[in-house]
Amino acid sequence: MYALELQSLKKSFGKTEIIRGVNLAVNKGERVAVIGPNGAGKSTLFNLISGRFEPSSGTIKLHGEDITGKRPYEISRRGLARSFQITNIFSRLSVFENLRCAALFASGQKYSFWKPLSKLDELNDRTEALMASLELKRRRDVPASLLTYSEQRALEVGLTIAGGGDVILLDEPTAGMSHSETDRFVHLIRSVTVGKTLLTVEHDMGVVFGLADRIAVLVYGEVIAFDTPEKVRADPKVKEAYLGAVLDAEMDQGVAA
């Protein structure tokens, strides 16, 4: 049984076909990077998997269960969590409060106005541990709006995994970061996703080679290659899709990193 499986997945907007029969099977605990030129359909694919868009046809399975057409919250409750390209956090809440809010559902707690959150020791301990793993403990009581950009991205990754999901979708997690910030962030992602299945959209080849067990190359809504980084790099179809020398330069940079 795969952690995530896409079968003949298609999505059209009017007469325009964006996703054209994608087949993809991700093993439990595997880290897969989805790469492709702008307009390839990467964000649309994530929106289909997470339930924001309904497929025109095809099937999406999560741990063998058909989740095609289910609402985002229903998919989330079955163990899939997603981050977005644009940072989406509670700006007025502290780092600790952000993470605790995200962890509430996973802890089995429901809304109760007579039960103070400060009394939920297990929830608070879990939040403290997650905050430490994100290297944000020293920023515990700082409003999220005052964090640096890379810290906000780290917090969003924390919000994504706080709900207890075991299949994680990260949409361009390192976009806008400096080289040093990116290196640190890749290490952080590897650390906090241990034991989880990871699917990430990424343009930075250094990040791709630093994270991915396999790479799926999406071009014009179709997966043209899905294999190890070394085999994808040597694939002539992939080189052609990335204009040859451009891909070589980017992937050489990734290998050097």
Side-chain angles (χ1 to χ4, degrees), residues 74 79 81 89 115-116 141 149 156 178 192 249:
E74 294 174 317
I89 56 180
K115 187 184 294 184
D141 299 315
Y149 176 72
E156 181 161 23
S178 67
V192 299

Side-chain angles (χ1 to χ4, degrees), residues 5-253:
E5 186 177 9
L6 314 180
Q7 300 174 336
S8 303
L9 195 64
K10 294 184 179 182
K11 178 61 180 177
S12 298
F13 295 95
K15 295 183 179 180
T16 304
E17 196 172 34
I18 305 299
I19 300 297
R20 304 190 297 170
V22 166
N23 293 288
L24 195 68
V26 181
N27 298 311
K28 182 179 180 180
E30 189 174 28
R31 292 174 177 146
V32 172
V34 180
I35 67 173
N38 291 332
K42 300 184 295 296
S43 291
T44 299
L45 186 65
F46 264 33
N47 284 332
L48 291 170
I49 296 170
S50 59
R52 291 174 63 86
F53 294 163
E54 187 171 347
S56 300
S57 63
T59 304
I60 304 169
K61 292 184 178 181
L62 182 66
H63 299 307
E65 179 184 358
D66 190 344
I67 60 168
T68 312
K70 292 192 180 297
R71 296 179 181 180
Y73 76 86
E74 294 174 317
I75 295 173
S76 176
R77 289 177 179 177
R78 285 164 171 79
L80 184 141
R82 178 197 174 172
S83 74
F84 293 85
Q85 291 181 23
I86 300 174
T87 305
N88 189 15
I89 56 180
F90 302 108
S91 59
R92 295 185 181 182
L93 298 182
S94 69
V95 169
F96 179 81
E97 290 167 336
N98 266 271
L99 293 172
R100 185 168 62 180
C101 285
L104 269 170
F105 176 78
S107 70
Q109 297 295 327
K110 296 182 179 180
Y111 176 74
S112 175
F113 66 85
W114 64 80
K115 187 184 294 184
L117 289 176
S118 60
K119 301 297 183 181
L120 301 177
D121 293 337
E122 185 177 345
L123 172 65
N124 291 319
D125 290 345
R126 183 170 181 270
T127 303
E128 292 281 3
L130 177 57
M131 188 168 53
S133 71
L134 296 167
E135 301 178 6
L136 291 174
K137 197 165 186 176
R138 65 185 181 84
R139 308 287 271 167
R140 182 188 191 281
D141 299 315
V142 175
S145 61
L146 299 182
L147 299 177
T148 66
Y149 176 72
S150 62
E151 288 173 336
Q152 289 184 351
R153 296 298 284 174
L155 177 59
E156 181 161 23
V157 170
L159 296 179
T160 304
I161 66 176
D166 56 2
V167 177
I168 308 298
L169 275 57
L170 301 181
D171 198 349
E172 297 192 32
T174 66
M177 291 187 185
S178 67
H179 183 72
S180 61
E181 288 174 331
T182 296
D183 288 344
R184 176 176 168 274
F185 204 66
V186 169
H187 174 76
L188 185 147
I189 292 173
R190 280 202 301 262
S191 175
V192 299
T193 59
V194 169
K196 298 181 183 293
T197 303
L198 178 65
L199 190 66
T200 181
V201 166
E202 187 54 65
H203 288 287
D204 188 321
M205 290 298 109
V207 175
V208 170
F209 272 84
L211 279 177
D213 300 314
R214 289 194 290 170
I215 300 173
V217 185
L218 189 68
V219 177
Y220 299 122
E222 295 181 289
V223 174
I224 65 168
F226 184 36
D227 214 321
T228 62
E230 294 76 16
K231 290 184 178 179
V232 165
R233 184 178 189 232
D235 192 314
K237 300 191 300 294
V238 177
K239 288 191 174 186
E240 182 180 358
Y242 273 93
L243 302 178
V246 175
L247 179 62
D248 278 339
E250 289 181 346
M251 286 198 168
D252 284 340
Q253 181 182 357

